[in-house]
Amino acid sequence: KRGCLLRCIYCTYNQVLEGNRLRLRPPVDIVDEVEEAVLRHKAESIEFVDSVFNIPYDHCVEVLEEIARRPWRVEFTAMGVSPRKLDEQFLALMWRAGFRSFMISPESASETMIDSYGKGFTVDDVTHAAEAVKKARFTVLWYFLVGGPGETNETLQETLDFNVRHLRLDRRGGGRGASMAAGTPRLRILARMAANRLRWRNRRRRRSPGRTRRTATAPPRGTRCRPWPGTVVPPTSAER
């Protein structure tokens, strides 16, 4: 499929690359293409890279059921799975179709931050998905963002507590934060925050007319600055 119905503020899929209008392919056509990759090209594993694999839900179920009906078997994974409606019945269908791993990106376990990111689900959805995943045999990679608009120590603690209570933390890792891509609401939000911060600083300076700014001055030309301890400094032409 192409397009994404979600409104995540940091994502380029729904804002720039594919838009918000869904263009769905028939499930039979999708699985026929997978079958060609398996039988003709001997593919051993296949990854679905839709922006969100299980939205729309009914279309995803039809694809999984069509895969399960085929006589061949191959291992699948999915890049982005929404925690919404991710229950034991849906996970059982994924397993029957050949999925052994996937990624979930709730970004936060705080209701405040989920709303801020525009994710389109709730903390209850995330919690129910985590409980269902814990009972299954999948290898699951969870993605969380830190420091988005509205993040506080309290909202971050909610996410950390969720990780400890509900996730199997046998493997942990880290990575860079959300990108600030052109055309996304996140960039516009950060631009407004930066502008507000600049106006606040300018107001403070106007209220303190006697305050002097400290400026750095360059040393006279030819002056050698003292090196950091342990630094090897090459000799000047005069010293040579």
Side-chain angles (χ1 to χ4, degrees):
K1 63 176 176 281
R2 290 290 184 270
C4 182
L5 296 176
L6 300 182
R7 301 282 181 173
C8 304
I9 64 172
Y10 53 84
C11 187
T12 56
Y13 277 96
N14 56 359
Q15 303 293 328
V16 180
L17 299 178
E18 298 183 0
N20 295 114
R21 185 176 63 85
L22 283 177
R23 286 86 75 198
L24 302 177
R25 294 181 60 195
V28 173
D29 290 354
I30 296 172
V31 182
D32 284 345
E33 190 172 321
V34 171
E35 184 172 276
E36 181 181 2
V38 173
L39 300 182
R40 182 177 178 182
H41 303 289
K42 310 303 179 185
E44 297 179 355
S45 63
I46 293 176
E47 179 180 11
F48 281 84
V49 294
D50 308 49
S51 54
V52 184
F53 173 69
N54 53 334
I55 295 179
Y57 180 83
D58 294 338
H59 181 264
C60 182
V61 168
E62 291 179 21
V63 172
L64 293 173
E65 290 176 344
E66 184 63 31
I67 293 174
R69 279 193 289 266
R70 302 295 172 104
W72 41 263
R73 287 293 173 263
V74 67
E75 186 170 310
F76 289 98
T77 185
M79 183 183 72
V81 174
S82 171
R84 191 173 182 181
K85 296 186 178 181
L86 196 64
D87 54 18
E88 294 180 38
Q89 181 179 354
F90 182 81
L91 291 174
L93 179 57
M94 287 185 68
W95 188 272
R96 187 157 54 91
F99 282 79
R100 296 298 178 263
S101 62
F102 56 88
M103 307 175 194
I104 303 180
S105 53
E107 320 306 0
S108 178
S110 163
E111 197 73 64
T112 299
M113 294 310 300
I114 290 175
D115 291 341
S116 175
Y117 289 133
K119 295 298 294 181
F121 47 76
T122 66
V123 171
D124 287 340
D125 293 325
V126 180
T127 302
H128 294 155
E131 291 302 312
V133 166
K134 221 166 21 173
K135 299 175 184 177
R137 292 178 286 171
F138 293 95
T139 299
V140 180
L141 181 62
W142 291 76
Y143 278 94
F144 295 94
L145 299 178
V146 175
E151 187 82 275
T152 64
N153 290 339
E154 289 73 22
T155 60
L156 179 57
Q157 191 62 52
E158 291 178 55
T159 298
L160 295 176
D161 292 342
F162 169 85
N163 275 261
V164 173
R165 286 196 304 266
H166 297 289
L167 303 188
R168 298 195 305 256
L169 301 179
D170 49 347
R171 294 184 180 88
R172 309 179 190 183
R176 63 182 180 85
S179 58
M180 294 178 287
T184 61
R186 176 179 169 83
L187 186 61
R188 294 192 289 272
I189 291 171
L190 293 177
R192 285 198 301 269
M193 292 172 63
N196 292 336
R197 175 68 176 174
L198 183 60
R199 284 193 292 269
W200 177 79
R201 292 181 63 184
N202 289 339
R203 284 197 298 269
R204 286 197 61 186
R205 288 173 180 171
R206 286 196 296 269
R207 290 172 185 171
S208 306
R211 185 179 178 184
T212 58
R213 294 182 61 188
R214 291 185 295 176
T215 58
T217 57
R221 187 168 183 175
T223 302
R224 298 194 66 192
C225 298
R226 185 172 60 182
W228 189 265
T231 304
V232 178
V233 180
T236 64
S237 57
E239 293 172 341
R240 293 195 193 98

